[in-house]
């Protein structure tokens, strides 16, 4: 790693010195590499940037229509009008995880999971009272129908959507791979809600978590852990003989990927979230605890992202891991950095993110 760091510093300095002498196309490529290394980037976008002809998956349009129909039938626009409608952005994220045609089930599963997880996040962050949130957490962690019946209508709608998706995925995994994963899917929803309720208690109690306390919880509340675990079940061919022990084997790989996702999100969105009222995110928590400037705190977070990539590299040297799951984990982090590189590309998909969505999904290169 020390040699690679020296090589990085040497090459970066020399590229900065010669960039003004390069042709326009080459200069643009160099500039992009200096901003974010190729290895950290979302592969789908890089494919679009570097080739003139690219074979796109012709099923994209029909899949989006089916997902839009599923989303519309949930009736969230009426029952959970406060929640974000980010189907297109989430499907774009899904293509970042696995854009190859054979991974269509992964894209569909992740899109559905992330749409539901985003609505859950909005319930905890901007709408539910603490009393309601405590009840909702109890319902999900215990999967208790009696508790569900006592919830407000919008929470019952949310639980019903989670339950239907969970049962659908469990039945499909049992049919395709002979694995009973229902308890493990339920567990991921419980883990996510417990992380959210902890943040809600901090907020309503006026507490400011330490940086370490925040990170210990926030790498889970970002939701990517649940997404990665569920995608293991979609790609269960590669883990069927190791299940369920393999989930523990993947824990560190999933942790570092999720941490990059959380820190990238915080770099892009924390300022706006603090302005609308929320607990301090990574940057603010570090500023408060250490008494440093925002710039210093942001640089610290960026350094943590860099170190997390080194940890991912250490993990993937282990040949026990399924190549498909390794790639999904790397691409989760890459896509997060792509989405949040220029701000909140998820919550307000304008500018660069909108251009990426249009170029990679809505206007593919003709072949």
């Amino acid at each position: 790693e020390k040699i690679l760091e020296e090589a990085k510093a040497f090459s970066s300095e020399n590229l900065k010195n010669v960039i003004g002498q390069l042709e326009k196309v080459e200069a643009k490529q160099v500039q992009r590499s200096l901003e974010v290394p190729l290895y950290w980037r979302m592969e789908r976008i890089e494919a679009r940037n570097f080739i003139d002809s690219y074979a796109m998956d012709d099923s994209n349009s029909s899949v989006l229509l089916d997902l839009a129909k599923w989303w519309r039938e949930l009736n969230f626009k009426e029952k959970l009008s406060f929640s974000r409608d980010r189907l297109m952005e989430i499907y774009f994220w899904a293509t970042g995880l696995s854009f190859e045609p054979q991974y269509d089930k992964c894209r569909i599963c992740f899109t559905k999971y992330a749409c539901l997880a985003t609505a859950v996040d909005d319930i905890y962050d901007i709408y539910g009272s603490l009393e309601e949130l405590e009840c909702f957490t109890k319902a999900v962690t215990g999967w208790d129908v009696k508790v569900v019946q006592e919830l407000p209508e919008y929470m019952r709608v949310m639980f019903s959507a989670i339950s239907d998706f969970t049962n659908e995925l469990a039945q499909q995994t049992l049919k395709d791979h002979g694995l009973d994963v229902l308890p493990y899917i339920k567990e991921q929803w419980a883990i996510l809600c417990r992380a959210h309720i902890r943040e809600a208690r901090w907020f309503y109690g006026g507490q400011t978590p330490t940086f370490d306390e925040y990170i210990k919880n926030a790498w889970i509340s970002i939701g990517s852990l649940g997404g990665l675990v569920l995608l293991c079940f979609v790609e269960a061919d590669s883990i069927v003989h190791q299940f369920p022990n393999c989930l523990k084997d993947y824990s560190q790989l999933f942790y570092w990927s999720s941490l990059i996702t959380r820190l990238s999100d915080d770099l892009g969105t924390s300022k706006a979230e603090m302005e609308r009222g929320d607990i301090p995110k990574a940057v603010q928590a570090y500023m408060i605890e250490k008494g440093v400037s925002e710039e210093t705190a942001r640089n610290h977070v960026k350094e943590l992202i860099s170190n997390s990539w080194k940890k991912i590299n250490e993990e993937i040297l282990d040949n026990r891991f399924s190549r498909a799951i390794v790639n999904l984990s790397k691409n989760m982090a890459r896509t997060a950095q792509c989405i949040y590189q220029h701000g909140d590309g998820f919550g307000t998909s304008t500018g660069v993110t909108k251009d990426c969505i249009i170029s990679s999904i809505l206007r593919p290169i003709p072949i």
Side-chain angles (χ1 to χ4, degrees):
E1 292 290 353
K2 183 179 179 181
I3 294 172
L4 288 174
E5 288 290 351
E6 291 174 355
K8 177 183 177 182
F10 174 81
S11 58
S12 296
E13 184 63 30
N14 281 277
L15 285 171
K16 289 176 184 176
N17 291 335
V18 302
I19 193 169
Q21 305 167 27
L22 300 177
E23 297 292 333
K24 184 176 181 181
V25 174
E26 292 178 332
K28 185 176 181 180
Q29 292 178 3
V30 169
Q31 184 60 45
R32 285 176 58 80
S33 296
L34 289 171
E35 289 174 359
V36 179
L38 179 63
Y39 186 63
W40 297 5
R41 286 185 176 271
M42 181 176 158
E43 290 179 317
R44 180 63 173 266
I45 299 302
E46 293 314 299
R48 178 71 195 209
N49 286 331
F50 286 100
I51 62 176
D52 295 323
S53 297
Y54 190 66
M56 302 292 291
D57 180 4
D58 292 335
S59 65
N60 271 338
S61 296
S62 61
V63 169
L64 275 171
L65 287 173
D66 289 342
L67 286 169
K69 182 180 178 182
W70 165 80
W71 183 242
R72 186 172 63 250
E73 288 175 350
L74 291 179
N75 201 25
F76 277 17
K77 182 169 285 188
E78 178 182 343
K79 302 297 184 181
L80 285 82
S81 58
F82 57 86
S83 66
R84 288 167 288 178
D85 184 349
R86 291 291 181 269
L87 178 63
M88 180 63 77
E89 290 81 358
I90 290 171
Y91 184 73
F92 171 65
W93 197 309
T95 66
L97 297 183
S98 51
F99 63 84
E100 298 89 341
Q102 66 267 31
Y103 293 117
D104 58 325
K105 290 182 179 179
C106 281
R107 290 191 289 276
I108 292 171
C109 174
F110 180 80
T111 300
K112 289 184 176 182
Y113 164 77
C115 282
L116 296 176
T118 299
V120 169
D121 182 49
D122 289 341
I123 285 176
Y124 280 91
D125 270 6
I126 64 175
Y127 196 77
S129 67
L130 183 59
E131 182 181 358
E132 290 175 341
L133 297 177
E134 295 283 6
C135 291
F136 184 75
T137 305
K138 183 179 179 181
V140 175
T141 54
W143 217 258
D144 192 329
V145 176
K146 290 183 179 179
V147 177
V148 172
Q149 292 172 348
E150 299 173 1
L151 295 173
E153 183 185 14
Y154 76 95
M155 286 185 166
R156 294 199 302 272
V157 171
M158 184 76 253
F159 185 87
S160 177
I162 291 174
S163 180
D164 289 347
F165 167 73
T166 297
N167 290 327
E168 176 190 355
L169 177 57
Q171 290 170 9
Q172 193 64 48
T173 306
L174 184 63
K175 176 183 175 182
D176 293 345
H177 308 289
L179 298 178
D180 179 14
V181 299
L182 183 60
Y184 300 95
I185 305 175
K186 289 180 178 179
E187 181 184 23
Q188 287 306 313
W189 286 115
I191 289 172
L192 180 64
C193 288
R194 282 197 292 266
H196 280 312
I197 194 63
R198 189 176 188 190
E199 292 182 353
R201 290 167 184 161
W202 284 338
F203 176 75
Y204 281 100
Q207 296 175 264
T208 299
T210 66
F211 183 77
D212 287 343
E213 286 174 336
Y214 171 76
I215 292 298
K216 187 176 180 180
N217 192 70
W219 79 270
I220 299 173
S221 65
I222 192 63
S224 54
L225 171 64
L228 288 169
V229 172
L230 268 55
L231 290 177
C232 283
F233 305 148
V234 179
E235 289 298 312
D237 278 339
S238 58
I239 66 167
V240 66
H241 299 300
Q242 302 167 306
F243 184 82
N245 294 331
C246 61
L247 296 180
K248 293 182 180 178
D249 293 337
Y250 284 117
S251 61
Q252 284 299 298
L253 180 63
F254 290 171
Y255 169 75
W256 295 114
S257 175
S258 297
L259 182 58
I260 293 173
T261 303
R262 162 53 72 187
L263 295 176
S264 299
D265 180 314
D266 284 0
L267 283 175
T269 70
S270 58
K271 191 171 183 179
E273 289 182 347
M274 287 293 292
E275 287 175 354
R276 76 165 185 248
D278 205 342
I279 63 167
K281 303 300 183 181
V283 175
Q284 288 76 20
Y286 193 79
M287 289 171 61
I288 294 168
E289 182 178 332
K290 302 297 182 180
V292 297
S293 67
E294 180 178 351
E295 181 181 4
T296 299
R298 292 181 71 85
N299 286 337
H300 177 71
V301 171
K302 290 175 183 178
E303 185 65 24
L304 288 180
I305 290 175
S306 182
N307 289 335
S308 297
W309 271 111
K310 294 175 184 178
K311 294 295 185 180
I312 286 179
N313 293 340
E314 290 177 13
E315 290 294 320
I316 63 179
L317 287 174
D318 192 331
N319 292 324
R320 294 177 302 159
F321 295 160
S322 156
R323 184 52 47 188
I325 305 303
V326 165
N327 287 337
L328 286 167
S329 301
K330 289 191 297 184
N331 288 339
M332 179 71 78
R334 287 167 170 163
T335 307
Q337 290 190 270
C338 173
I339 292 284
Y340 296 111
Q341 183 181 354
H342 302 284
D344 187 1
F346 180 76
T348 54
S349 58
T350 57
V352 176
T353 302
K354 182 177 181 180
D355 293 341
C356 289
I357 292 173
I358 291 173
S359 65
S360 62
I361 297 176
L362 300 180
R363 295 178 186 169
I365 301 169
I367 58 173

